[in-house]
Amino acid sequence: MESPEACSSGEASPVAAAAAERPSEAAALRALVDRVRAGEVDAAREVRRLTRASARHRRKLAAAVDPLVAMLRAPAPGAGEAALLALLNLAVRDERNKTKIVDAGALEPLLGYLQSSDLNLQEYATAALLTLSASSTNKPIISASGAIPLLVKVLKEGNPQAKNDAVMALYNLSTITDNLQAILAVQPIPPLIELLKGSKRSSKTADKCCALLESLLAFDQCRVALTSEEGGVLTIVEVLEEGSLQGREHAVGALLTMCESDRSKYRDLILNEGVIPGLLELTVHGTPKSRMKAHVLLDLLRNSPYSRSRLQPDTLENIVTNIASQIDGEDRGGKAKKMLAEMVKVSMEQSLRHLQRRASFA
């Protein structure tokens, strides 16, 4: 039982204080949304501040989405930027807000900002499209809006952050198969390779570049464009060697897609970039998918005729033994080991040539 002093002190208990605060906070948030509706730019900035790191505020301020989308079109100085940044924070890690923003008609003004001469606005709009395109509900709507050519234009001409976000947004949209041709139609390969060359090989940007390339390389148009780029295949080989686990998986998948499409055309081209050392390492240290793809690609790169019906994700020893089995004699195991040693020697020689080629691009 509370003492008379506590009862008469006038101090509310923590529970009572919290209960009293909730209605007051709800009223303050409603008032903030009303200020956004009235077109107050500072109110949009306050929404951005509150939603920067608070999932709770993102939910409670969802009512601000419609007036913020309206503010994207407002002529007042700073209004569009403030609204754009507030919407970006509202969409982060909140699927309902992502779809609500698109349903409210945000895409039209966002695409306008993608074409802005103000590179900051272009960057913020690209980041918003990246976030919105993470929603499976939004992907077909964004694809139909005409965003793909504009994102590729940002990939070519935007500032560094906008380029990174553009390739990630394009990757999100590329998971709809019908979009691959639409992406290829606007010649994305030169800027994509340029971005990959300038990125740290283990970065998320490199991961997404290689993931997008792996999908696009199913088309001859992409393969021709890639092999026309100086150092294009070499850069993918570098990701295979130095990338993150995910990046290496996509890099080996990209090279495998090329080789499977036309072994006679691409086998020597891939070999000449010194891919064997990275593939050998990947058969041991890669993800399960990477190891399987590396084995299959090694099988395709060997000299013996390729028979698709016999293709198995064999161990490296089996691949080498298979080559040795074509030689007469009883000591096939010994021959296989010798051939493996020779393969490693050739790999080391290719690595030296590979390093020399890299130096020529430096």
Side-chain angles (χ1 to χ4, degrees):
M1 201 171 169
E2 291 184 337
S3 67
E5 290 81 7
C7 291
S8 61
S9 67
E11 293 182 4
S13 70
V15 173
E21 203 174 311
R22 286 190 201 105
S24 138
E25 181 194 43
L29 294 178
R30 284 195 299 271
L32 179 59
V33 173
D34 288 340
R35 289 172 56 207
V36 176
R37 286 196 183 98
E40 288 189 32
V41 175
D42 284 342
R45 294 190 180 113
E46 179 66 6
V47 171
R48 179 197 178 195
R49 185 187 70 79
L50 289 172
T51 55
R52 182 177 288 119
S54 171
R56 182 171 63 87
H57 278 119
R58 289 182 200 120
R59 287 193 303 272
K60 290 183 176 296
L61 286 167
V65 166
D66 286 301
L68 284 169
V69 169
M71 192 182 286
L72 287 174
R73 300 179 173 88
E81 179 177 327
L84 179 49
L85 292 171
L87 287 166
L88 181 55
N89 281 359
L90 280 164
V92 172
R93 298 187 185 91
D94 192 305
E95 290 304 305
R96 281 182 295 179
N97 281 350
K98 284 183 175 72
T99 56
K100 188 178 177 68
I101 290 166
V102 170
D103 289 345
L107 288 182
E108 183 185 347
L110 284 179
L111 296 186
Y113 286 130
L114 277 188
Q115 301 170 78
S116 173
S117 58
D118 183 330
L119 292 183
N120 286 328
L121 282 176
Q122 186 185 84
E123 176 189 326
Y124 303 149
T126 307
L129 280 172
L130 165 59
T131 301
L132 295 173
S133 67
S135 162
S136 58
T137 303
N138 287 342
K139 285 179 187 179
I141 303 171
I142 295 172
S143 303
S145 72
I148 286 174
L150 296 177
L151 286 168
V152 173
K153 192 169 188 293
V154 172
L155 183 59
K156 294 174 182 176
E157 302 171 5
N159 66 29
Q161 185 58 54
K163 288 181 178 182
N164 290 343
D165 289 345
V167 78
M168 293 184 192
L170 286 166
Y171 169 73
N172 285 346
L173 297 177
S174 75
T175 58
I176 297 178
T177 306
D178 289 346
N179 284 339
L180 293 173
Q181 288 279 24
I183 294 171
L184 278 173
V186 281
Q187 287 81 48
I189 302 306
L192 193 56
I193 294 301
E194 183 182 352
L195 180 62
L196 185 55
K197 285 179 179 178
S199 301
K200 186 177 179 182
R201 300 298 182 256
S202 58
S203 66
K204 184 171 283 191
T205 299
D207 291 353
K208 296 303 181 185
C209 283
C210 285
L212 183 55
L213 282 167
E214 183 178 10
S215 297
L216 294 174
L217 282 165
F219 298 89
D220 185 62
Q221 180 183 346
C222 178
R223 296 191 292 272
V224 170
L226 176 65
T227 53
S228 299
E229 288 295 309
E230 186 175 14
V233 175
L234 173 61
T235 307
I236 297 175
V237 171
E238 289 175 347
V239 177
L240 184 147
E241 294 174 340
E242 306 164 18
S244 68
L245 283 174
Q246 204 63 41
R248 297 178 81 190
E249 182 179 307
H250 291 305
V252 70
L255 296 173
L256 178 59
T257 299
M258 288 181 69
C259 206
E260 285 185 320
S261 71
D262 191 335
R263 177 179 182 270
S264 62
K265 185 175 182 179
Y266 296 114
R267 174 183 175 273
D268 288 345
L269 190 153
I270 293 170
L271 278 173
N272 288 340
E273 300 298 0
V275 73
I276 296 296
L279 285 176
L280 291 173
E281 184 185 352
L282 210 53
T283 61
V284 178
H285 298 301
T287 64
K289 283 185 180 179
S290 295
R291 293 198 296 270
M292 181 194 73
K293 290 175 181 179
H295 282 306
V296 175
L297 185 53
L298 280 166
D299 200 19
L300 283 166
L301 294 176
R302 65 188 184 183
N303 283 317
S304 60
Y306 165 53
S307 171
R308 190 175 186 88
S309 63
R310 296 200 326 272
L311 188 60
Q312 297 290 337
D314 292 334
T315 63
L316 186 58
E317 182 182 357
N318 286 344
I319 291 172
V320 178
T321 301
N322 180 274
I323 299 171
S325 69
Q326 299 170 42
I327 304 170
D328 293 334
E330 296 180 359
D331 186 19
R332 289 178 177 172
K335 286 188 175 70
K337 290 178 182 177
K338 182 179 178 183
M339 291 184 73
L340 182 56
E342 289 173 354
M343 182 186 290
V344 172
K345 180 183 176 183
V346 169
S347 297
M348 291 174 67
E349 291 170 352
Q350 287 177 332
S351 290
L352 181 59
R353 290 197 299 272
H354 184 39
L355 290 171
Q356 290 169 341
R357 284 175 64 83
R358 284 186 189 174
S360 71
F361 289 119

